[in-house]
């Protein structure tokens, strides 16, 4: 089964998304793509500039961002913590939850680590389930209340500062949930497309299997008929070695023609099967027999010496559907083949009747053979009647075979013929 195509530009996608749609996603860790490197570099530079800006503002005589810490050395520690968080940004894709848990205490007082901590928080929302994101958000809202009291803004009141912190937290939460939902949608669409492709491949395989079964059934019917004719003519030559030369030549011609036809049918079937194996499923199929070919089938049996009495009372033979006529033809062919195999020399009766709305009835009968069968009786696989039964069932008809009240063998089928 062929998988879906790899994205044309995977370097433009997040590594987690490329890993989710790759064939070996379950066996390897998603690798950082070019886009991820660019985003991480930008986040690192932005965080570094923020640390430098906040540190310079805290050391100025009149800080504009937040109230300065009590001692200058605390400002240096805050800057150092901000630089450490900037370095940890390169590990946030591998351990997002561990980093946010380890750095959450810094949100109580650190202004320099604010941007890296927001990026950690955004990463957790994108890469972890909603319950984890909400728990982290709740912890951040609590620490925000403490931070607004420890580092008050010189130009806003406590509640204004706390409110802006809540707004910023919810904005990052909404943005991260949107990104996560979008990625999940892409992955689900990809999985749905893969399932649809797999189901399509399964349907194609099943259709090919059904077609091979149909071809095998047709081949069984055709070859069994022709080989039984070959056996009958060869048996006649063996029974009468002193026959006139013209009769021997005629029988040999019939044997040669039947063998050639059997080889041709076998060659066509093998060609169709090879075409399916090569993927060329549009090879032309030989024309299938219909009810109009029934006289030729009877003539073949009669030329082999079989006494066949035919009663054909089909109301509208020109209106017989092709599938219905093919099924009737195969039923008669199987009946004649069985008669030649198991009741050699017995007369065979073929009755075909019906019309639109009433259905088509096909019956083949012959006298039950008396005594033990001859040692050179043609072997049978026992699948001919099984195949005919399956054919009739698929057509929505009924089939019955066996000895009737008079002791003769009778094969009778009724096939629906829509009005």
């Amino acid at each position: 089964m062929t998988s879906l195509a790899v994205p044309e530009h995977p370097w433009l996608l997040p590594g987690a998304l490329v890993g989710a749609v790759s064939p070996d996603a379950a066996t390897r860790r998603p690798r950082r793509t070019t886009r991820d490197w660019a985003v991480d570099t930008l986040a690192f530079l932005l965080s570094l500039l923020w640390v430098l800006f906040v540190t310079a503002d805290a050391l100025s005589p009149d800080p504009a961002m937040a109230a300065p810490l009590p001692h200058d050395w605390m400002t240096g520690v805050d800057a150092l913590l901000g630089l450490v968080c900037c370095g940890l940004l390169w590990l946030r894709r591998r351990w997002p939850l561990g980093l946010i848990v380890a750095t959450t205490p810094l949100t109580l007082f650190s202004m320099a680590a604010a941007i890296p901590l927001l990026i950690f928080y955004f990463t957790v929302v994108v890469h972890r389930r909603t319950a984890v994101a909400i728990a982290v958000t709740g912890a951040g809202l609590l620490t925000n209340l403490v931070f607004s009291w420890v580092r008050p803004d010189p130009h806003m009141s406590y509640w204004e500062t706390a409110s802006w912190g809540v707004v910023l937290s919810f904005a990052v939460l909404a943005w991260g949930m949107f990104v996560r939902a979008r990625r999940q949608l892409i992955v689900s669409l990809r999985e749905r497309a893969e399932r649809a492709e797999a189901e399509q491949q399964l349907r194609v395989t099943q259709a090919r299997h059904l077609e091979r079964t149909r071809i095998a059934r047709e081949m069984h019917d055709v070859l069994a008929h022709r080989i039984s004719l070959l056996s009958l003519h060869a048996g006649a030559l063996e029974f009468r070695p002193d026959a006139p030369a013209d009769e021997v030549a005629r029988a040999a011609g019939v044997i040669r023609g039947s063998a050639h036809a059997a080889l041709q049918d076998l060659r066509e079937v093998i060609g169709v099967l090879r075409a399916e194996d090569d993927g060329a499923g549009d090879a032309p199929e030989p024309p299938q027999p219909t009810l109009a070919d029934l006289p030729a089938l009877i003539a073949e049996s009669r030329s082999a010496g079989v006494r066949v009495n035919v009663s054909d009372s089909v109301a509208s033979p020109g209106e017989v559907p092709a599938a219905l006529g093919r099924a009737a033809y195969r039923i008669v062919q199987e009946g004649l083949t069985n008669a030649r195999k198991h009741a050699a020399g017995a007369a065979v009766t073929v009755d075909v009747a019906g019309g639109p709305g009433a259905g088509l009835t096909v019956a083949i009968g012959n006298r039950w053979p008396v005594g033990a069968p001859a040692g050179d009786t043609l072997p049978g696989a026992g699948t001919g009647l099984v195949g005919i039964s399956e054919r009739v069932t698929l057509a929505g008809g009924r089939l019955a075979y066996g000895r009737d009240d008079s002791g003769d063998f009778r094969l009778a089928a009724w096939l629906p013929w829509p009005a």
Side-chain angles (χ1 to χ4, degrees):
M1 183 186 69
T2 59
S3 60
L4 293 176
V6 177
E8 185 177 0
H9 302 293
W11 57 275
L12 292 176
L13 298 176
L17 191 58
V18 174
V21 302
S22 63
D24 55 346
T27 60
R28 68 178 181 87
R29 180 186 303 164
R31 302 186 62 179
R32 191 182 276 116
T33 62
T34 304
R35 173 199 175 275
D36 292 339
W37 281 106
V39 171
D40 291 348
T41 302
L42 182 61
F44 174 78
L45 295 177
L46 181 62
S47 300
L48 186 61
L49 291 176
W50 172 259
V51 171
L52 298 178
F53 173 75
V54 169
T55 303
D57 180 74
L59 295 176
S60 64
D62 186 17
M65 299 297 298
L69 293 169
H71 305 283
D72 291 341
W73 65 268
M74 292 184 178
T75 302
V77 171
D78 188 15
L80 180 61
L81 292 175
L83 293 176
V84 171
C85 290
C86 289
L88 292 177
L89 285 173
W90 297 102
L91 304 176
R92 65 186 178 89
R93 298 181 184 275
R94 182 172 297 183
W95 300 297
L97 186 58
L99 287 177
I100 196 66
V101 171
T103 57
T104 295
L106 300 180
T107 59
L108 295 171
F109 63 90
S110 178
M111 191 69 179
I115 295 299
L117 293 178
L118 278 178
I119 297 176
F120 291 158
Y121 172 52
F122 176 79
T123 306
V124 169
V125 175
V126 171
H127 294 279
R128 294 298 180 264
R129 62 182 188 272
T130 305
V132 175
I134 293 177
V136 173
T137 303
L141 293 177
L142 293 177
T143 58
N144 173 67
L145 298 177
V146 178
F147 177 84
S148 300
W149 180 71
V150 174
R151 305 287 298 272
D153 191 283
H155 306 291
M156 290 187 296
S157 65
Y158 170 78
W159 291 112
E160 288 178 336
T161 305
S163 299
W164 277 111
V166 172
V167 171
L168 183 61
S169 297
F170 279 112
V172 175
L173 176 65
W175 184 19
M177 292 181 67
F178 170 76
V179 173
R180 177 176 175 82
R182 184 174 179 273
R183 292 184 181 182
Q184 288 179 336
L185 176 63
I186 294 174
V187 173
S188 64
L189 292 177
R190 175 84 180 196
E191 292 176 351
R192 185 180 302 176
E194 289 179 348
R195 285 197 302 269
E197 184 181 17
E199 292 173 357
Q200 176 64 21
Q201 292 291 339
L202 180 61
R203 286 193 293 269
V204 170
T205 302
Q206 291 176 344
R208 183 179 290 112
H209 176 71
L210 292 176
E211 181 65 15
R212 287 173 179 265
T213 303
R214 185 190 67 81
I215 293 174
R217 187 187 303 119
E218 297 284 344
M219 201 65 228
H220 170 271
D221 296 339
V222 172
L223 288 182
H225 170 71
R226 297 196 184 280
I227 292 175
S228 64
L229 289 178
L230 283 173
S231 176
L232 196 62
H233 285 287
L237 290 179
E238 182 183 9
F239 182 72
R240 292 193 58 193
D242 56 345
D246 56 343
E247 293 185 7
V248 174
R250 184 167 58 253
V254 172
I255 292 175
R256 182 182 58 82
S258 298
H260 177 76
L263 289 175
Q264 183 66 24
D265 293 333
L266 185 60
R267 188 181 299 112
E268 290 174 353
V269 171
I270 293 176
V272 172
L273 295 179
R274 284 179 177 173
E276 290 182 355
D277 290 336
D278 296 339
D282 50 355
E285 187 177 350
Q288 297 295 318
T290 62
L291 199 62
D293 299 314
L294 200 57
L297 179 65
I298 301 298
E300 284 184 354
S301 296
R302 285 174 174 170
S303 65
V306 180
R307 292 172 295 167
V308 183
N309 300 319
V310 182
S311 174
D312 189 353
S313 58
V314 177
S316 304
E319 300 178 4
V320 178
L324 180 62
R326 181 167 60 253
Y329 180 94
R330 295 304 185 193
I331 293 172
V332 175
Q333 185 181 58
E334 179 64 22
L336 293 175
T337 302
N338 285 340
R340 289 193 298 269
K341 283 183 178 181
H342 307 294
V348 182
T349 60
V350 178
D351 297 324
V352 182
L360 184 65
T361 302
V362 181
I364 304 97
N366 58 267
R367 301 290 296 177
W368 190 265
V370 179
D376 55 352
T377 303
L378 283 175
T383 59
L385 291 177
V386 175
I388 291 299
S389 178
E390 182 181 356
R391 185 190 298 273
V392 172
T393 302
L394 292 176
R398 300 185 300 270
L399 178 70
Y401 55 88
R403 301 187 69 170
D404 56 13
D405 297 337
S406 61
D408 297 338
F409 182 84
R410 180 177 175 84
L411 172 64
W414 176 87
L415 301 172
W417 186 349

